[in-house]
Amino acid sequence: MSSVQIQCTRCKNVFRDRAGRLQDGYSRQCPSCEVVLFFAEDSQHPFIKRAMRDARKVRKEVRELEAAKLAAPEPRGTQSRRFAGRTRSAERED
């Protein structure tokens, strides 16, 4: 899951946004009270700090997962279920 919980600084409601969006300079409107929240790395507000920290953590985990997928070898000989139990014999008798 690549989303992060954000707590509004005004109404204290919690909503979610994608971690990829939560970077320095991003702004988002609260869905309930419509106040504009500005996300910055050097923010003094604890709710903004927590959201930015969580977003960094989630982005890092996603990058590590993608790197692990690229490093893992693809399984050879994957077949559909239709051909799963069949093997080809070396000699065919007609």
Side-chain angles (χ1 to χ4, degrees):
M1 180 183 303
S2 63
S3 63
V4 176
Q5 286 188 343
I6 304 165
Q7 190 169 6
C8 178
T9 57
R10 181 177 173 199
C11 69
K12 311 296 187 253
N13 271 353
V14 177
F15 59 96
R16 297 182 84 71
D17 202 352
R18 291 191 314 209
R21 290 182 177 175
L22 284 180
Q23 294 183 5
D24 202 20
Y26 177 68
S27 61
R28 166 81 196 263
Q29 198 172 19
C30 174
S32 59
C33 71
E34 298 181 352
V35 69
V36 178
L37 301 172
F38 294 96
F39 296 91
E41 292 293 335
D42 58 347
S43 176
Q44 296 300 316
H45 204 285
F47 297 159
I48 302 296
K49 277 185 179 180
R50 183 184 315 128
M52 295 294 283
R53 184 177 57 240
D54 292 347
R56 260 193 320 272
K57 181 180 166 188
V58 168
R59 286 193 305 266
K60 181 181 176 185
E61 290 172 357
V62 167
R63 278 194 311 267
E64 290 172 352
L65 261 172
E66 288 176 355
K69 283 183 185 177
L70 291 176
E74 289 281 328
R76 290 182 49 218
T78 56
Q79 298 174 345
S80 66
R81 286 192 279 176
R82 181 176 173 199
F83 297 106
R86 299 182 188 176
T87 59
R88 179 173 264 175
S89 61
E91 295 178 22
R92 187 171 174 183
E93 296 178 26
D94 286 328

